[in-house]
Amino acid sequence: MSDKSWRDNVRQVVPYIAGEQPEGENIIKLNTNENPYPPSPAVAKILREMDTDCFRLYPNMDAAPLVKALSQEYNQPEEKFFVGVGSDDVLANAFLTFFNSNLPVLFPDITYSFYPVWADLFRIPYETVLVDENFAICAKDYERKNGGVIFPNPNAPTALFTSVEQVEKIIQSNKDVVVIVDEAYIDFGGTSVIGLTEKYDNLLVVQTFSKSRSMAGMRIGFAVGNPQLIQAMKDVKFSINSYTMNQTAILAGVEAVKDREYFEGTCQKLIQTREWTKEKLTQLGFIYPQSMANFIFASHKKKSAKEIFTYLKEKGIYVRYWDKPRIDNYLRITIGTQEQMNKVFSALEQYLI
């Protein structure tokens, strides 16, 4: 009998760890950056009216109705769009498609923790680039040989926005590789660089419906880039699974895109609550990078983040905490409704004052 085991051939990966999904009544869930408001009423309407007979048919491989809606919304040709099952699916496809050099892919040391998971899974070499003492991404740090660049803007979990000028400097100094800008939180105050895809053929911009369009449960993400980049991603995707986007998500996604008034109104409500939350946090002795996302990355001047995290959890309030170097005294607090945030500060005041 062989001494070898099937276990010797299992691919070992340290998985991404998502925020807790607590169950129960009176829970305030501010740990996964979900939008506290429902999707557009147009989404609910299309779901009620949907003819379920369409479920027996395969969906369009290219998610053509959704791509058309996105093309019209962002004033970009349809051939510049790639649609996937959430931005995680889009990003995983991008890693698999574009990061195939022997040189390391570069991304910040404090960033979305899925990046090293994909790199390990696909056997992609990578190096992390230190953000500065204020958590800022510095363009000059990406002026070195690499196999590709990716970073969120605004960054996660810091919520810091990197200016369009700094982003363009990174693209300019890396024209021989693909640069991916992950704009999951761009609609909460930042400026998108989708327009730069007309100028740089190596730029891929990725966005999601999960945050600003309140559709995390539908799993819709998309990328914008020059048609050659997009076609390369489609070739990889269709070689694995041609029908990833389901009919329901396609139709609901179209309605979400078309209802710009509701989308903008929801974003503005969250921005207003975020700015109010900043003031309240300052009054209670917290410090934080200036957020341009739907969350705030906050540290208290006297109390440890872990102690505050534990206290809030006991009160049924869930925020995000990482016991990791450089960020182990910070909490990521998703912006909820004004009513939810009032309850958060009521609890914090009892603990801190």
Side-chain angles (χ1 to χ4, degrees):
M1 186 173 181
S2 173
D3 292 333
K4 293 185 69 65
S5 166
W6 59 265
R7 295 175 181 83
D8 296 333
N9 296 318
V10 173
R11 179 161 294 189
Q12 300 293 324
V13 179
V14 178
Y16 170 76
I17 300 175
E20 293 180 72
Q21 296 287 355
E23 296 182 358
E25 298 180 358
N26 302 316
I27 295 292
I28 298 179
K29 188 173 179 293
L30 305 176
N31 65 336
T32 50
N33 294 344
E34 294 154 323
N35 197 314
Y37 300 106
S40 161
V43 172
K45 184 174 184 292
I46 196 69
L47 293 177
R48 288 194 302 268
E49 297 175 353
M50 184 177 294
D51 181 0
T52 57
D53 185 55
C54 70
F55 292 165
R56 67 183 179 80
L57 304 173
Y58 284 113
N60 180 275
M61 286 174 61
D62 289 318
L66 182 55
V67 166
K68 182 178 180 179
L70 289 167
S71 171
Q72 293 172 346
E73 175 65 17
Y74 291 94
N75 194 30
Q76 297 285 332
E78 291 182 24
E79 58 266 26
K80 290 183 66 175
F81 286 87
F82 175 95
V83 177
V85 185
S87 61
D88 288 340
D89 178 48
V90 175
L91 289 165
N93 269 279
F95 267 66
L96 194 57
T97 304
F98 302 120
F99 296 160
N100 290 290
S101 166
N102 291 325
L103 294 171
V105 170
L106 304 181
F107 48 80
D109 66 320
I110 299 174
T111 195
Y112 185 29
S113 53
F114 232 137
Y115 297 163
V117 174
W118 287 317
D120 288 339
L121 178 63
F122 300 137
R123 301 295 192 260
I124 298 168
Y126 70 90
E127 292 179 3
T128 57
V129 181
L130 293 178
V131 295
D132 71 15
E133 65 276 8
N134 298 313
F135 298 134
I137 292 173
C138 303
K140 65 179 181 180
D141 295 334
Y142 291 82
E143 296 177 359
R144 53 169 139 149
K145 285 288 185 181
N146 63 74
V149 176
I150 181 169
F151 57 92
N153 198 29
N155 198 4
T158 66
L160 268 178
F161 177 70
T162 303
S163 71
V164 173
E165 292 74 20
Q166 286 291 304
V167 172
E168 188 164 12
K169 285 181 180 179
I170 293 174
I171 301 167
Q172 288 174 334
S173 61
N174 291 280
K175 290 184 178 179
D176 58 343
V177 298
V178 174
V179 176
I180 302 174
V181 182
D182 181 356
E183 293 187 338
Y185 306 100
I186 199 66
D187 296 318
F188 299 109
T191 301
S192 175
V193 294
I194 285 178
L196 291 182
T197 61
E198 299 173 14
K199 186 176 180 181
Y200 299 100
D201 64 4
N202 65 320
L203 172 62
L204 190 76
V205 181
V206 178
Q207 292 193 14
T208 179
F209 282 45
S210 296
K211 318 301 180 185
S212 55
R213 287 189 167 89
S214 306
M215 296 181 71
M218 272 291 178
R219 313 307 302 128
I220 304 172
F222 65 96
V224 187
N226 89 71
Q228 288 181 306
L229 291 183
I230 298 305
Q231 188 58 53
M233 290 182 68
K234 287 181 180 180
D235 290 345
V236 171
K237 174 187 175 184
F238 296 157
S239 72
I240 300 170
N241 186 347
S242 301
Y243 303 105
T244 56
M245 177 68 65
N246 66 66
Q247 297 277 28
T248 306
I250 292 172
L251 295 177
V254 169
E255 296 305 313
V257 172
K258 287 165 59 177
D259 195 350
R260 168 156 283 277
E261 181 179 0
Y262 182 85
F263 160 72
E264 291 180 343
T266 300
C267 288
Q268 282 304 310
K269 280 196 292 186
L270 277 168
I271 290 170
Q272 290 171 7
T273 304
R274 180 189 70 202
E275 297 307 303
W276 176 87
T277 299
K278 288 179 182 178
E279 294 179 7
K280 296 290 288 184
L281 287 170
T282 299
Q283 292 169 11
L284 289 178
F286 285 90
I287 57 174
Y288 47 85
Q290 286 302 316
S291 171
M292 293 289 275
N294 67 331
F295 59 89
I296 297 173
F297 197 54
S299 176
H300 196 266
K301 295 176 182 177
K302 296 181 179 179
K303 294 285 188 178
S304 79
K306 190 171 184 178
E307 290 175 355
I308 299 173
F309 168 79
T310 302
Y311 165 77
L312 289 175
K313 187 173 179 179
E314 291 171 351
K315 294 288 185 178
I317 300 170
Y318 286 74
V319 298
R320 196 75 193 270
Y321 170 72
W322 289 273
D323 189 7
K324 293 183 177 181
R326 301 189 73 190
I327 62 171
D328 60 353
N329 202 34
Y330 282 82
L331 299 172
R332 192 192 68 189
I333 306 168
T334 302
I335 304 300
T337 64
Q338 187 64 51
E339 180 183 7
Q340 288 175 322
M341 301 313 294
N342 286 337
K343 291 179 180 178
V344 170
F345 283 105
S346 177
L348 285 173
E349 287 168 358
Q350 293 176 24
Y351 185 67
L352 298 172
I353 298 177

